[in-house]
Amino acid sequence: MSKETAAPAQSAPELYVSSPGRPPKETTFREWVVVNQIGISLTILAMLLALHNLYPSLRPYTQPFFELSYYDSAANSYVQGWDDVYFVASAVLALTAIRAIAIEWILQPLARCAGLKRKGSVRLAEQGWQALYYGFIWGVGLYLWKNSHYWFDFGAIWDQWPARPLSGLMKWYLLVELSFLIQQIFVIHVEERRKDHYQMLSHHIITSTLLSSAYIYGFYNVSNVVLCLMDIVDFLLPSAKILKYLKFQNACNVAFGIFMSTWFVTRHILYNVLTWSILKNIPAKMPYGCYSGGELTSTNGYPNALAYMFAPFRSLENPICMNGTIKWIFLSFLISLQVLSIVWFAMIVRVAYGVICTGAADDSRSDEEDEVEANIEDATNGSVRLAAKESVSATPVVNDTAPGLDGRRSNGAASMRARGRGRVPFDQSDRKALLGRIGCDKPT
């Protein structure tokens, strides 16, 4: 063979790609963590438990991982402190293992038994875990709120501040909620990145910062109310998605309507009433100044520059001060959460309004994830035709990561993605198409 006609030598990467019997792609660290999260979490917890049981001299160091710290037997109550960080760390590991076990060993096999394919079973399992956790933790929070002195009396929330003792159940509830938020930050980074990654990351960071700061400052009551108002919505949305995946169309339609109504009432009415109570009742019921041992010791709310803000974080013995600056720091976090909720709810309303009133929906959250079917068989002009023919079926699927609505369409091998803000036309008279756009049916 001549030099001109000889095939060029292939580099190692080219041979790797072109070889039909190439080895599997090398696993990244992120993928390894996802696959082994059960083993990693349980191994660390087992090691801590072994040290706790086999070496009694180490129990003062290992006990905070498994038990609530700072118990006052005389008052039968708890206070907060830095040892609570160990409990949060072990709870993050436990929640990681429980979530993976529930999804991979229980919920996904049940979804397969219900007739769902691999992708659908994974999605149902993920939503099932969300529904299980939020249903349970919301029940605990509602029990604490219902049996409190501030049940639907937002002004009474501030009556006992800055009393720092709290019940064991309240402390466990707040620390588990904080652990779940931290664990969610881990989940959205190690698993496949979603369209609203940064919105969810911002939400979890703001909420975890707000909750941990409120815990240190003794704002247990307001934390309980805020979490109850948030968690009910996070329970209803995955419940509606589960009904959708199981093809309970009418039930999904009803559940989605309940979800939207509950979202509006809890996150945009009651939440704002709570925010207004902070503006109104501080300093009316919570006079500005510094408190020590629950007593007002100084009316000077600015004792030494900014150091007073971090004094409660350093030691329980340090005073807690309240003034306009601290008030507005907490308010800014609450308002930030409200802004995120408004953005998400506006997207939901926009899609629902477009479907019901115009017969076409323009979902601004769908730039990255919407898959519009395209036929590329026209080789003469290289044009791309959208698969809008009757012979092509489209199956919208509700977005699994945040309270918006994304449509997904697939068409086998001869299809491609086309991203953009274009409207997706469909027949308004087709009831299945309408339900499909809100995530309750699969239109054909």
Side-chain angles (χ1 to χ4, degrees):
M1 183 178 292
S2 65
K3 187 174 182 179
E4 290 78 6
T5 60
Q10 290 179 306
S11 62
E14 290 173 342
L15 289 172
Y16 174 84
V17 173
S18 61
S19 176
R22 64 179 182 268
K25 181 182 177 182
E26 184 178 355
T27 302
T28 65
F29 177 75
R30 180 188 64 81
E31 293 169 340
W32 178 82
V33 171
V34 172
V35 173
N36 297 280
Q37 54 186 322
I38 297 176
I40 295 172
S41 303
L42 293 183
T43 299
I44 296 175
L45 290 174
M47 292 174 60
L48 289 172
L49 189 60
L51 290 174
H52 181 75
N53 290 318
L54 297 177
Y55 299 94
S57 60
L58 296 178
R59 288 181 183 176
Y61 305 99
T62 58
Q63 188 169 350
F65 286 99
F66 304 104
E67 298 180 12
L68 297 176
S69 303
Y70 305 108
Y71 176 66
D72 184 0
S73 58
N76 191 26
S77 61
Y78 291 82
V79 293
Q80 72 276 56
W82 277 107
D83 283 354
D84 294 335
V85 173
Y86 303 114
F87 184 86
V88 170
S90 63
V92 169
L93 293 172
L95 285 170
T96 301
I98 293 171
R99 176 183 181 272
I101 290 172
I103 289 177
E104 297 179 19
W105 297 357
I106 302 175
L107 297 174
Q108 196 170 348
L110 289 176
R112 289 290 186 91
C113 292
L116 275 70
K117 295 183 179 179
R118 187 192 64 83
K119 190 173 183 179
S121 65
V122 171
R123 293 192 174 191
L124 185 143
E126 291 174 348
Q127 298 307 310
W129 162 250
Q130 295 281 329
L132 287 174
Y133 170 78
Y134 281 113
F136 169 74
I137 205 68
W138 178 73
V140 175
L142 187 64
Y143 171 82
L144 290 168
W145 187 14
K146 181 65 174 63
N147 292 277
S148 68
H149 68 280
Y150 52 89
W151 171 248
F152 272 97
D153 183 2
F154 293 156
I157 289 176
W158 319 104
D159 288 344
Q160 298 178 358
W161 193 86
R164 305 185 78 169
L166 71 165
S167 67
L169 182 59
M170 176 67 83
K171 179 168 184 171
W172 180 88
Y173 166 73
L174 294 176
L175 293 181
V176 169
E177 286 276 43
L178 179 59
S179 303
F180 181 80
L181 291 169
I182 296 174
Q183 193 261 346
Q184 285 297 100
I185 296 176
F186 163 79
V187 167
I188 65 176
H189 277 92
V190 299
E191 296 192 348
E192 183 179 356
R193 180 164 295 194
R194 306 289 186 172
K195 164 71 165 57
D196 61 344
H197 172 83
Y198 291 106
Q199 292 94 321
M200 291 303 298
L201 178 62
S202 300
H203 175 271
H204 294 325
I205 291 177
I206 292 172
T207 308
S208 57
T209 303
L210 177 62
L211 180 58
S212 57
S213 300
Y215 177 74
I216 294 297
Y217 265 79
F219 296 139
Y220 316 126
N221 299 340
V222 67
S223 299
N224 177 209
V225 176
V226 169
L227 290 171
C228 282
L229 297 179
M230 292 287 181
D231 289 346
I232 180 59
V233 171
D234 292 325
F235 164 72
L236 291 175
L237 179 59
S239 299
K241 292 180 182 178
I242 291 171
L243 294 173
K244 180 258 179 181
Y245 294 140
L246 295 177
K247 298 183 175 65
F248 294 116
Q249 301 167 7
N250 293 332
C252 175
N253 190 24
V254 173
F256 188 81
I258 295 174
F259 155 72
M260 289 191 64
S261 303
T262 305
W263 178 301
F264 180 76
V265 172
T266 57
R267 294 198 175 187
H268 300 304
I269 295 179
L270 296 178
Y271 186 92
N272 288 331
V273 172
L274 176 64
T275 304
W276 172 252
S277 75
I278 298 176
L279 288 169
K280 178 182 177 181
N281 296 314
I282 301 175
K285 288 192 173 184
M286 191 185 297
Y288 288 163
C290 294
Y291 297 78
S292 181
E295 300 294 333
L296 181 64
T297 58
S298 172
T299 57
N300 178 17
Y302 303 87
N304 50 0
L306 297 178
Y308 69 93
M309 293 184 182
F310 303 99
F313 292 87
R314 295 195 300 267
S315 173
L316 287 173
E317 304 300 327
N318 292 332
I320 297 180
C321 298
M322 174 56 62
N323 53 44
T325 302
I326 296 176
K327 169 184 173 179
W328 278 103
I329 288 175
F330 280 100
L331 270 176
S332 64
F333 280 109
L334 292 172
I335 293 172
S336 298
L337 291 177
Q338 179 63 195
V339 170
L340 284 172
S341 295
I342 291 173
V343 170
W344 280 329
F345 191 67
M347 293 175 180
I348 297 173
V349 172
R350 183 186 306 170
V351 173
Y353 179 83
V355 171
I356 296 173
C357 299
T358 68
D362 183 10
D363 189 352
S364 61
R365 297 183 66 254
S366 303
D367 297 339
E368 296 289 339
E369 292 192 2
D370 280 3
E371 299 179 5
V372 180
E373 296 185 31
N375 190 336
I376 57 173
E377 295 176 354
D378 190 353
T380 58
N381 56 11
S383 62
V384 178
R385 298 195 300 268
L386 293 179
K389 298 180 180 180
E390 295 179 357
S391 60
V392 180
S393 63
T395 304
V397 178
V398 177
N399 180 17
D400 290 334
T401 59
L405 301 175
D406 290 334
R408 290 181 181 265
R409 290 181 168 87
S410 58
N411 186 35
S415 65
M416 64 172 291
R417 291 187 180 182
R419 293 184 173 92
R421 295 181 178 270
R423 294 179 179 271
V424 181
F426 62 94
D427 185 2
Q428 185 180 8
S429 63
D430 188 347
R431 178 174 176 275
K432 288 187 176 182
L434 187 149
L435 294 178
R437 283 299 294 172
I438 65 173
C440 296
D441 200 358
K442 295 184 176 181
T444 58

